[in-house]
Amino acid sequence: MLSLGPLRAASLISECMYCRKARVLAVNPLKGHFCLQKNYSTLPDDVKSLRTIITPVVSKIRNIGIMAHIDAGKTTTTERMLYYSGYTRTLGDVDDGDTVTDFMAQERERGITIQSAAVTFDWKGYRINLIDTPGHVDFTVEVERSLRVLDGAVAVFDASAGVEAQSLTVWRQADKHHIPRICFLNKMDKNGASFTHAVESIKEKLKTKPLLLQLPIGEAKSFRGIVDVITKEQVIWKAAAALDDGKIFERKPLKETDDLVLLRDASDARNTLIEQVADLDDEFAELVLGEFSESFDSLPAEKLHSAVRRVTLARKAVPVFCGSALKNKGVQPLLDAISMYLPAPDECHYDFMKWYKDDLCALAFKVLHDKQRGPLVFLRIYSGIMKPQSAVYNINKNCVERMSRLLLPFADQQIEISSLTAGNIALTVGLKQSATGDTIVSSKASAMAAARQAGRDVGSKRGRSSGVENFLLAGIEVPEPVFFCTIEPSSMARQPDLDRALTCLQREDPSLKVKIDADTGQTILCGMGELHIEIIHDRIKREYGLDTYLGPLQIAYRETIQNSVQAQDTLDRSIGEKRHQVTAQIGVRPWEGDTSATVPVIEYAENICDSIQPDLREAIENGVHTSYLQGPCLGFPLQDVVVTVNAVATNSDTSLTMVSACVSRCMQKALKRADKQVLEPVMNLEITVSDHHLGAVLGDLAQRRGSIREIQSRPDDKVVLASVPLAEMMGYSTVLRSLTSGSATFTLEFASYQVMSPHEQTALLQKKSGLA
Ligand code: GDP
Ligand code: MG
């Protein structure tokens, strides 16, 4: 506990300058401010001063995610980690809703983790940054983003259930991002827990090689500890009389006088492990075949440790550990394993890092809005040093921002620090423009220098220099939002509050888009899925105290045309003394480029091209853009249309607004005459399913207008790659579950907008006009 020394505690009870709650405050000479709330001391016993917590060596940093199926025990495990490392005083409990990491009210109530918060703590000289990854499919963007900032992961499984669908999805995403992992079989105390079955399901479902580094001692009710396979030691948690918090455990070598069966199992497991690792690692194989070919018994533990580390980092195998977070067993060895087997930031490779060298490059991976302090931005620093009171440059927003404070995040607690180096996770105050997914560097000059460097490297490799900017960015792409619905405040007076709330939410979540319907003036939310929009709705109520009404959930279609058409239109109005006269001649035709045109491609007829003044040109293009947002069939935005301005004639009094209005109207006229076509979002669907259920899944896909691109064979699964219109995918997870008894998993990703068949289009138009 941080000593308050002679300071009078009573006089220190005041409002914390960060969290604004009445708390006991201590002011550190190094300018650290600490909340000493009842459950949290902000510094653990063994941290004597702030200096020790601000300078970790990069090799001692672990940026780790915990990924798990909902309810596998991710939150409980995280809590225990914080407790054993000394950052929390009492054990939080998800069932009581008082854990540190699930700090959004909603998460506490739903008991699921929606937002990825980062928590930093130290364990035996290692700095561990835990990045909490969300478990639900609708939050794939969040998962992807957190995978981007972490270097390794712990997959937590319920030992009574084995590998469940959701963890399979996240596991595949981690494969895609090349993330080394270790597994923790949690809930070993639970009825029905089976170490063997859980390991089998890891082998089968995850198609990976589990390395058993532990064996459980007892199972279900009798679970009391673990055997360390490498050292052949047993670790037993003894219930202390008063407090069974798992802090006290005994580690001692297994002897023949102990459990003979256990000793034999441990020896067998060790031999198997050595053989497995020797198969995967040449350096270790040489050692085993040479010096230790007679007997493995004398093989030093460190040699085995480092070989296991190498195969883990190379993602050739996955070490498996077990325990019970709830019953406080097995978490300390898991922390040891994180420091021992998962990579340090400098062991990971990111493309863009080499362009920056020692200059600052960081990725904003999370924005939270604090009522008092404004936006708090979580950053992963890839290179360089970050300091408070400094200006930084945001590449995505092309702007310079000032960072006022730099904090170390401890879930909902933070400690102020004076600098932070590459590999770390920082929380900043003062960045007003930066949003989730933005890349932050020291200055525009630094970004340009990196771009030149990247241009040389990329250009020489690919023989071209365009598109270099993308290499500089640390962020990930945000997919198109494909669902939308209207949102209304309870009264018009609350509209400005709603607008503010939505601005904040958009910065936190780039997959949320907000727009205004041009006709009705209604606010429209566009999102990634049903749950996504529901959560946003919920957050507006809880965090901003606003009651809002959502319209029905709809699919975001687009429109285009299939032939070329000309139109002419004239506006003639007298306003006051002035007569505004304008005539426009506009042609529209289909765009035939390689990539789709979501903004209008505007051309001018040769004879007028040079004679149009810039302000007139701007007015014309405004008019075109306005019309582009509203297609002729259903009012959805246009795509792939080329607009040719053939003539625009005005008189001297005509205002530019009138020009825009006339151009817009003329273009609408042309569009209405053209052969109209609705485009619908088509998704890439990837289903992993057993041979046994393949037929049922394919039959169902055929009814959903799905087209199968490929069926890949795996040892005992099939992977179906298909394209399916989004409109056919409502409620698919429930259907797939019942078709396959829950054994199949799927991922759904936006692919492109595609032409609807005449039959489907007619049905849609009838439905929209209320005829069907
Ligand atoms: P999360 O959804 O992965 O974050 O899981 P939680 O940590 O919220 O836990 C889900 C439920 O499982 C809660 O009711 C926990 O009390 C319970 N739980 C977590 N760990 C264990 C464990 O080791 N053993 C048992 N029996 N239950 C556990
Ligand atoms: Mg949780």
Side-chain angles (χ1 to χ4, degrees):
M1 184 75 165
L2 197 87
S3 167
L4 293 181
L7 295 171
R8 293 142 311 277
S11 66
L12 288 173
I13 296 178
S14 66
E15 194 183 63
C16 168
M17 64 189 290
Y18 297 140
C19 58
R20 302 288 158 169
K21 286 179 195 150
R23 283 175 177 187
V24 182
L25 284 183
V27 181
N28 184 284
L30 290 164
K31 289 215 187 92
H33 299 258
F34 309 98
C35 273
L36 299 181
Q37 201 201 15
K38 66 177 191 315
N39 283 353
Y40 310 116
S41 80
T42 41
L43 288 179
D45 300 342
D46 55 343
V47 176
K48 294 290 181 279
S49 85
L50 266 179
R51 292 229 184 267
T52 59
I53 65 161
I54 53 181
T55 48
V57 201
V58 71
S59 64
K60 295 262 175 174
I61 301 174
R62 296 291 178 270
N63 290 315
I64 302 305
I66 298 196
M67 40 172 66
H69 188 277
I70 285 168
D71 269 4
K74 183 164 73 174
T75 306
T76 312
T77 308
T78 309
E79 274 305 304
R80 297 310 185 257
M81 289 179 172
L82 286 172
Y83 181 72
Y84 297 130
S85 58
Y87 289 92
T88 50
R89 291 278 136 191
T90 57
L91 285 172
D93 189 338
V94 275
D95 305 314
D96 299 340
D98 62 356
T99 59
V100 175
T101 43
D102 286 359
F103 61 84
M104 265 166 53
Q106 233 161 333
E107 294 193 8
R108 287 190 170 149
E109 233 159 74
R110 286 169 190 240
I112 59 169
T113 309
I114 300 158
Q115 292 220 0
S116 18
V119 192
T120 296
F121 60 87
D122 289 347
W123 178 254
K124 297 186 182 171
Y126 285 85
R127 162 68 46 86
I128 299 180
N129 294 311
L130 267 191
I131 294 135
D132 199 13
T133 54
H136 197 277
V137 244
D138 270 21
F139 305 106
T140 354
V141 187
E142 288 244 348
V143 178
E144 294 254 335
R145 190 159 36 238
S146 41
L147 290 179
R148 187 73 162 125
V149 292
L150 48 88
D151 304 315
V154 180
V156 175
F157 301 101
D158 176 340
S160 68
V163 177
E164 293 162 278
Q166 195 60 61
S167 13
L168 237 176
T169 311
V170 186
W171 189 271
R172 291 194 184 120
Q173 279 173 315
D175 280 339
K176 200 169 107 188
H177 288 259
H178 313 297
I179 295 189
R181 271 146 282 174
I182 60 178
C183 292
F184 181 61
L185 302 179
N186 187 33
K187 304 201 186 182
M188 282 303 300
D189 64 294
K190 207 174 145 185
N191 258 342
S194 163
F195 185 72
T196 323
H197 279 140
V199 170
E200 263 323 292
S201 84
I202 289 180
K203 211 184 288 176
E204 274 176 21
K205 297 196 178 150
L206 305 180
K207 310 280 179 270
T208 184
K209 293 199 180 76
L211 300 178
L212 306 190
L213 296 196
Q214 291 179 348
L215 296 179
I217 303 179
E219 229 161 37
K221 273 212 178 70
S222 67
F223 177 71
R224 34 185 211 289
I226 51 132
V227 174
D228 182 329
V229 171
I230 292 188
T231 60
K232 286 208 278 182
E233 287 172 318
Q234 57 175 336
V235 186
I236 304 271
W237 276 263
K238 295 234 156 85
L243 184 67
D244 188 9
D245 66 353
K247 270 197 171 163
I248 301 166
F249 58 90
E250 184 181 64
R251 182 184 266 272
K252 60 173 192 195
L254 262 177
K255 293 217 186 70
E256 270 157 43
T257 47
D258 300 325
D259 188 337
L260 257 183
V261 179
L262 197 62
L263 180 61
R264 200 196 56 220
D265 288 351
S267 295
D268 290 351
R270 188 168 188 270
N271 290 342
T272 311
L273 176 69
I274 292 173
E275 283 164 12
Q276 276 181 309
V277 177
D279 260 352
L280 300 169
D281 185 84
D282 293 344
E283 189 182 330
F284 186 67
E286 251 169 57
L287 185 79
V288 171
L289 293 176
E291 255 176 273
F292 302 101
S293 56
E294 295 295 305
S295 159
F296 293 159
D297 288 347
S298 54
L299 195 141
E302 308 79 66
K303 297 281 180 200
L304 193 44
H305 280 311
S306 43
V308 169
R309 177 160 217 265
R310 283 195 301 272
V311 300
T312 309
L313 297 199
R315 288 173 291 111
K316 291 178 183 163
V318 180
V320 177
F321 305 87
C322 65
S324 163
L326 188 68
K327 296 287 155 62
N328 310 320
K329 295 182 177 71
V331 177
Q332 298 95 331
L334 179 63
L335 285 167
D336 292 338
I338 290 176
S339 11
M340 196 137 40
Y341 301 119
L342 291 176
D346 59 352
E347 290 170 293
C348 301
H349 171 77
Y350 298 96
D351 267 348
F352 53 86
M353 268 165 69
K354 60 174 179 282
W355 325 126
Y356 289 100
K357 300 205 182 74
D358 293 331
D359 265 3
L360 175 69
C361 174
L363 170 68
F365 67 95
K366 185 93 230 163
V367 180
L368 296 175
H369 280 85
D370 182 281
K371 292 218 170 61
Q372 274 76 32
R373 290 175 288 172
L376 304 176
V377 182
F378 282 87
L379 294 165
R380 154 86 197 244
I381 309 175
Y382 290 98
S383 60
I385 297 180
M386 197 154 238
K387 291 209 165 101
Q389 303 291 340
S390 62
V392 289
Y393 174 69
N394 179 326
I395 300 187
N396 303 65
K397 300 283 179 322
N398 184 17
C399 69
V400 174
E401 291 224 76
R402 238 192 126 64
M403 184 193 337
S404 57
R405 306 226 293 272
L406 195 59
L407 307 165
L408 213 56
F410 284 58
D412 61 353
Q413 307 283 304
Q414 295 112 22
I415 286 191
E416 188 141 12
I417 43 174
S418 59
S419 78
L420 211 54
T421 48
N424 279 290
I425 304 290
L427 183 55
T428 60
V429 184
L431 299 181
K432 299 244 153 37
Q433 308 290 321
S434 299
T436 302
D438 288 357
T439 302
I440 308 290
V441 298
S442 57
S443 64
K444 188 163 188 172
S446 156
M448 308 262 277
R452 277 194 300 275
Q453 187 57 43
R456 275 197 290 275
D457 290 7
V458 177
S460 62
K461 240 182 270 160
R462 309 193 177 186
R464 66 187 174 91
S465 61
S466 63
V468 159
E469 301 72 31
N470 288 332
F471 292 99
L472 298 180
L473 300 180
I476 57 153
E477 270 175 56
V478 179
E480 290 285 319
V482 282
F483 280 107
F484 73 96
C485 69
T486 56
I487 181 165
E488 274 174 22
S490 53
S491 70
M492 281 313 284
R494 304 301 304 267
Q495 185 70 42
D497 296 331
L498 177 60
D499 294 344
R500 254 192 305 280
L502 290 174
T503 310
C504 290
L505 287 169
Q506 275 187 95
R507 291 194 48 210
E508 292 179 24
D509 176 2
S511 56
L512 170 73
K513 298 258 155 66
V514 178
K515 51 186 193 185
I516 308 295
D517 186 299
D519 284 343
T520 62
Q522 281 176 306
T523 306
I524 296 177
L525 291 185
C526 308
M528 308 302 300
E530 228 165 324
L531 185 59
H532 185 205
I533 291 197
E534 194 187 305
I535 297 269
I536 295 290
H537 184 216
D538 224 34
R539 288 187 62 189
I540 292 173
K541 171 148 181 66
R542 283 165 197 274
E543 292 167 34
Y544 300 89
L546 290 172
D547 277 314
T548 50
Y549 304 108
L550 292 188
L553 197 63
Q554 297 178 64
I555 290 177
Y557 292 96
R558 290 213 180 131
E559 299 180 20
T560 193
I561 51 167
Q562 291 184 311
N563 57 342
S564 83
V565 173
Q566 309 289 326
Q568 175 171 337
D569 205 356
T570 302
L571 260 185
D572 190 345
R573 297 247 169 86
S574 294
I575 301 175
E577 301 280 275
K578 289 187 175 162
R579 184 157 178 212
H580 301 260
Q581 237 181 346
V582 49
T583 300
Q585 284 174 17
I586 303 268
V588 291
R589 63 179 159 88
W591 158 253
E592 276 152 7
D594 294 337
T595 52
S596 49
T598 52
V599 289
V601 180
I602 305 175
E603 292 172 347
Y604 290 86
E606 253 171 52
N607 57 329
I608 65 162
C609 194
D610 298 326
S611 59
I612 296 183
Q613 297 303 313
D615 56 346
L616 183 60
R617 187 182 281 248
E618 196 184 322
I620 292 172
E621 295 187 1
N622 281 342
V624 172
H625 279 275
T626 308
S627 276
Y628 213 75
L629 293 176
Q630 259 206 322
C633 296
L634 292 164
F636 285 105
L638 287 174
Q639 175 176 314
D640 301 336
V641 176
V642 183
V643 181
T644 314
V645 181
N646 292 317
V648 174
T650 59
N651 64 4
S652 57
D653 277 346
T654 310
S655 79
L656 291 173
T657 323
M658 233 24 123
V659 174
S660 296
C662 178
V663 166
S664 181
R665 210 172 74 167
C666 180
M667 182 168 148
Q668 287 291 336
K669 208 161 153 183
L671 290 168
K672 283 227 163 64
R673 283 188 200 149
D675 292 339
K676 298 173 275 288
Q677 176 67 53
V678 177
L679 303 171
E680 63 177 341
V682 173
M683 313 296 281
N684 279 335
L685 173 65
E686 189 182 317
I687 311 169
T688 307
V689 58
S690 64
D691 280 330
H692 181 61
H693 292 114
L694 181 65
V697 167
L698 294 182
D700 173 71
L701 274 184
Q703 308 214 326
R704 294 174 188 274
R705 296 191 279 138
S707 65
I708 315 291
R709 292 198 310 273
E710 195 186 335
I711 300 178
Q712 300 169 344
S713 289
R714 298 229 183 115
D716 36 20
D717 278 339
K718 292 276 187 278
V719 180
V720 180
L721 305 179
S723 305
V724 190
L726 177 66
E728 304 289 338
M729 293 303 290
M730 299 276 199
Y732 188 65
S733 50
T734 320
V735 174
L736 189 68
R737 205 176 305 133
S738 68
L739 277 178
T740 64
S741 326
S743 66
T745 62
F746 75 100
T747 57
L748 196 62
E749 239 173 39
F750 171 74
S752 61
Y753 275 94
Q754 282 178 16
V755 167
M756 287 181 93
S757 73
H759 173 73
E760 292 297 333
Q761 175 164 330
T762 313
L764 176 73
L765 293 177
Q766 280 182 348
K767 192 169 135 207
K768 293 274 176 190
S769 59
L771 292 176

